[in-house]
Amino acid sequence: MVKTVEWNTWEAILQLQRRIEALERENQSLQKQIKQKQRPTNIKKLVYHVHALHIQEMSGTMNIGITAPIDEDEVEIE
């Protein structure tokens, strides 16, 4: 009976190893697909109309600009 338990354990380990390898291949494939579909963000002109704001009371911080969570390498400002 001990041999059966050892064999089943070994077989389970091999199945898990094959599953991990398959998932790693799938992960790499999906990462490649994501990288191929990414396009750089092109910003041709930024116009701020701060003078058009009607502010009655001001407190806190006002951020003006690009605040999107993107990498600097992906943005081309002309």
Side-chain angles (χ1 to χ4, degrees), residues 28-41:
Q28 288 175 353
S29 173
L30 291 172
Q31 285 179 356
K32 286 179 186 177
Q33 289 177 13
I34 289 171
K35 285 182 182 179
Q36 290 173 352
K37 290 182 181 181
Q38 285 181 340
R39 297 180 292 157
T41 303

Side-chain angles (χ1 to χ4, degrees), residues 30-68:
L30 291 172
Q31 285 179 356
K32 286 179 186 177
Q33 289 177 13
I34 289 171
K35 285 182 182 179
Q36 290 173 352
K37 290 182 181 181
Q38 285 181 340
R39 297 180 292 157
T41 303
N42 295 322
I43 300 171
K44 294 185 179 183
K45 187 176 182 180
L46 291 174
V47 179
Y48 300 107
H49 298 282
V50 178
H51 64 278
L53 295 175
H54 180 70
I55 301 170
Q56 300 232 347
E57 180 181 327
M58 186 173 207
S59 64
T61 305
M62 184 168 126
N63 295 320
I64 299 174
I66 301 173
T67 57

Side-chain angles (χ1 to χ4, degrees), residues 9-31:
T9 304
W10 180 250
E11 198 56 41
I13 291 171
L14 290 176
Q15 286 178 355
L16 289 172
Q17 184 177 1
R18 288 191 293 266
R19 179 72 176 143
I20 289 170
E21 290 170 354
L23 289 171
E24 286 175 343
R25 285 191 300 272
E26 181 181 2
N27 186 22
Q28 288 175 353
S29 173
L30 291 172
Q31 285 179 356

